[in-house]
């Protein structure tokens, strides 16, 4: 890629090498939420990596949006694949050269797909020789060097569109040391502990310094989440049973519902299976309850206990 293809001349900071800690980032005006895109750059030429980072900086400047590109540079496919396999590295986007010493970009992409990674891939290369193979690994763009800024921007537009569709099922929160992306389905429940919110995930826990109301403002728009008192936000897909003042989650945790909040939460949980919220505050009749399709799997027990309580059969 030739340097004269770069029309924009951004201020280019020293590139961050693999293994270096992320620099501190300013929180956005929306509390603790920022559009963060993690991008892996893989090319065996340092100059090419510099130019790609410069183009990404130009793209951010032109978009004038509150987005951040966090890039990581790899000079071989083997280095990238090792990071993916051993450290569970999961970028949002990969920009790959094809002709590299050792494993080439197509071979690396094939292995990434076999590992189950479905992020967008953009190939940046010097020949059209592998164009058909590139689409065999679902690459969204294949750019032949030297390419101009507009073609590069179009490729990033396409990639961000695809990432956005993926990110609709994710949130990004500020944690100690940077930002963390969390898949919504991994969240079992959240608990407020003083100035922190604790996320109980399927495989781990993490903490974010933010208010309970701030977290609820993020999760409220996702229909599967319900607030239980002031301290808890529950993913209703992970509820196993609801009996009077206790909610059992599928990780074995028991949530004790405040007496004055129990009825409100029960109605929210029940309305979740109507595909709408019960904004009027009114319950459903027993006849209506009997005609609702019951959810499969472990949630059925929770569903039936709510049905009994709402219909007065407890």
């Amino acid at each position: 890629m030739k340097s004269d293809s770069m029309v924009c001349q951004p201020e280019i900071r020293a590139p961050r090498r693999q293994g270096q800690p992320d620099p501190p980032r300013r929180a956005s005006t929306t509390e603790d939420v920022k559009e963060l895109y993690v991008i892996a750059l893989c090319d065996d030429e340092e100059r090419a990596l510099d130019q790609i980072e410069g183009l990404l900086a130009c793209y951010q400047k032109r978009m004038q949006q509150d987005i951040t590109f966090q890039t990581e540079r790899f000079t071989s496919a083997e280095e990238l694949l090792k990071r993916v396999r051993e450290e569970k590295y999961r970028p949002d986007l990969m920009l790959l050269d094809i002709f590299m010493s050792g494993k080439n970009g197509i071979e690396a992409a094939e292995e990434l797909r076999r590992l189950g990674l479905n992020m967008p891939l953009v190939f940046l290369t010097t020949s059209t020789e592998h164009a058909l193979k590139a689409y065999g690994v679902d690459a969204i763009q294949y750019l032949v060097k030297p390419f101009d800024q507009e073609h590069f921007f179009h490729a990033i537009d396409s990639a961000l569109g695809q990432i956005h569709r993926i990110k609709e099922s994710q949130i990004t929160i500020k944690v100690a040391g940077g930002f963390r992306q969390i898949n919504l389905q991994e969240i079992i429940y959240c608990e407020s502990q003083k100035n922190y919110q604790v996320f109980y995930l399927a495989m781990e826990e993490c903490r974010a310094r933010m208010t309970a109301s701030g977290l609820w403002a993020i999760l409220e728009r996702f229909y599967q989440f319900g607030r239980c008192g002031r301290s808890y936000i529950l993913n209703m897909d992970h509820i196993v049973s609801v009996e009077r003042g206790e909610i059992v989650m599928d990780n074995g945790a028991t949530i004790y519902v405040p007496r004055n909040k129990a009825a409100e939460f029960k109605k929210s949980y029940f309305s979740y299976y109507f595909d709408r919220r019960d904004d009027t505050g009114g319950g459903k009749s027993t006849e209506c309850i009997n005609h609702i399709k019951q959810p499969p799997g472990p949630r059925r027990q929770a569903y039936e206990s709510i049905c009994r309580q709402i219909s007065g059969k407890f």
Side-chain angles (χ1 to χ4, degrees):
M1 182 167 55
K2 297 180 181 179
S3 59
D4 58 8
S5 66
M6 294 176 56
V7 177
C8 173
Q9 299 295 327
E11 177 185 354
I12 304 213
R13 295 170 288 182
R16 187 171 72 85
R17 304 294 180 183
Q18 191 263 336
Q20 283 185 315
D22 298 336
R25 299 193 183 279
R26 175 184 59 82
S28 67
T29 53
T30 302
E31 183 180 26
D32 300 316
V33 184
K34 195 179 186 70
E35 287 293 330
L36 172 68
Y37 299 94
V38 179
I39 304 177
L41 314 178
C42 188
D43 197 303
D44 58 358
E45 294 185 6
E46 293 284 354
R47 180 170 174 269
L49 293 172
D50 290 340
Q51 292 179 331
I52 295 169
E53 285 192 326
L55 284 167
L56 289 171
C58 289
Y59 182 90
Q60 288 184 87
K61 184 177 179 180
R62 190 180 80 162
M63 292 298 290
Q64 296 182 345
Q65 293 179 353
D66 192 19
I67 63 174
T68 293
F69 289 153
Q70 177 182 301
T71 61
E72 187 151 355
R73 299 159 64 116
F74 300 88
T75 55
S76 71
E78 289 82 1
E79 183 185 12
L80 170 61
L81 291 169
K82 180 180 179 181
R83 181 84 189 280
V84 168
R85 286 192 299 263
E86 297 181 5
E87 301 180 34
K88 307 299 182 185
Y89 178 57
R90 298 294 185 267
D92 298 306
L93 168 64
M94 288 193 181
L95 305 181
L96 299 169
D97 187 19
I98 290 182
F99 295 102
M100 297 182 284
S101 57
K103 194 183 292 288
N104 67 38
I106 294 291
E107 293 169 334
E110 289 171 344
E111 184 162 345
L112 290 167
R113 294 309 193 212
R114 285 194 296 270
L115 290 170
L117 277 68
N118 64 347
M119 76 284 290
L121 299 176
V122 175
F123 286 109
L124 316 172
T125 188
T126 56
S127 168
T128 60
E129 178 182 346
H130 293 285
L132 290 178
K133 290 183 178 179
Y135 291 105
V137 292
D138 295 324
I140 62 169
Q141 290 287 329
Y142 187 101
L143 299 181
V144 179
K145 303 175 184 178
F147 47 80
D148 60 31
Q149 179 175 278
E150 289 307 309
H151 281 93
F152 181 83
F153 284 3
H154 176 72
I156 301 302
D157 284 340
S158 298
L160 295 190
Q162 185 169 329
I163 293 168
H164 179 72
R165 290 189 289 275
I166 296 172
K167 281 179 174 284
E168 287 179 347
S169 61
Q170 296 179 333
I171 60 170
T172 303
I173 60 169
K174 185 179 179 182
V175 297
F179 290 87
R180 168 76 184 270
Q181 293 177 336
I182 300 177
N183 290 323
L184 295 175
Q185 197 53 32
E186 290 184 15
I187 302 173
I188 298 174
Y189 69 97
C190 307
E191 181 182 10
S192 181
Q193 295 182 1
K194 296 184 178 179
N195 296 326
Y196 288 87
Q197 303 305 307
V198 181
F199 292 76
Y200 294 90
L201 309 178
M203 301 297 293
E204 59 179 317
E205 299 174 11
C206 69
R207 292 161 57 90
R209 187 180 179 86
M210 62 191 305
T211 64
S213 59
L215 177 58
W216 179 238
I218 297 168
L219 294 177
E220 183 180 18
R221 64 192 178 95
F222 300 106
Y223 196 35
Q224 68 266 46
F225 289 94
R227 195 165 188 182
C228 186
R230 300 181 62 182
S231 298
Y232 293 98
I233 298 173
L234 310 183
N235 185 338
M236 293 185 282
D237 282 338
H238 288 284
I239 292 177
V240 173
S241 66
V242 181
E243 293 292 344
R244 298 182 182 272
E246 294 183 2
I247 300 170
V248 178
M249 310 302 292
D250 60 11
N251 67 343
T254 299
I255 309 298
Y256 296 97
V257 186
R259 184 182 299 271
N260 63 338
K261 297 294 183 180
E264 178 184 348
F265 180 79
K266 289 171 186 175
K267 285 189 289 187
S268 295
Y269 181 75
F270 188 69
S271 70
Y272 177 55
Y273 291 105
F274 276 97
D275 283 333
R276 68 177 182 85
R277 290 196 180 277
D278 188 5
D279 293 326
T280 63
K284 299 297 177 183
S285 68
T286 304
E287 291 76 14
C288 185
I289 289 169
N290 292 335
H291 287 86
I292 299 170
K293 183 179 179 180
Q294 297 181 4
R299 296 199 305 275
R300 181 168 180 168
Q301 181 183 353
Y303 173 86
E304 289 176 343
S305 71
I306 288 290
C307 286
R308 289 195 303 271
Q309 294 176 52
I310 291 179
S311 60
K313 295 182 179 180
F314 59 93

